[in-house]
Amino acid sequence: MDLSATGDPVVTQADPQVHVGLDLQQGTIVLSQGGTDYEPHHALVEFASPEGQPWTAQEARFSAKGPDGASVALTVDLLNDAYDGPRAGVPEVIWKVVALAATSAGDVGITYEPPTA
């Protein structure tokens, strides 16, 4: 590998965002849009904590297959139009996906040690 690196990484806390991806078992969730059903196989949930505020789920993006087998992306905005609380009318199953993502992001207890040189 022809690469060198120096420095000490620093994480800023001004507007931190976390994206958590989940692989979903196909057939466990059905999303319907415009009369068409889609079976998602992956979800990506975006969380943010702007300026030290509590963490909030902002958006969920789903990768899915339609009835014709074509891949589609579906996005669900999770914040209301004023950006100060959850959007009304979001189906409960999507909030369950958000809860799973939040759990896997912070409560799983992942530990990591970099490899020794």
Side-chain angles (χ1 to χ4, degrees):
M1 174 185 286
D2 187 18
L3 174 72
S4 64
T6 61
D8 196 10
V10 175
V11 177
T12 61
Q13 298 298 322
D15 189 14
Q17 291 187 352
V18 173
H19 295 86
V20 179
L22 298 171
D23 290 324
L24 303 170
Q25 184 173 339
Q26 209 159 352
T28 58
I29 298 174
V30 176
L31 302 176
S32 298
Q33 184 177 50
T36 303
D37 291 344
Y38 300 95
E39 291 187 17
H41 53 84
H42 187 79
L44 183 67
V45 180
E46 179 181 301
F47 297 91
S49 175
E51 300 176 9
Q53 297 297 316
W55 285 97
T56 303
Q58 298 186 128
E59 182 179 86
R61 291 184 291 250
F62 294 90
S63 299
K65 297 252 185 216
D68 60 358
S71 294
V72 297
L74 302 167
T75 301
V76 179
D77 290 324
L78 300 171
L79 290 177
N80 62 24
D81 292 337
Y83 299 103
D84 63 359
R87 181 172 298 280
V90 173
E92 182 180 346
V93 69
I94 292 177
W95 290 118
K96 288 180 180 180
V97 170
V98 170
L100 286 170
T103 300
S104 69
D107 297 337
V108 176
I110 295 173
T111 58
Y112 174 79
E113 290 184 30
T116 57

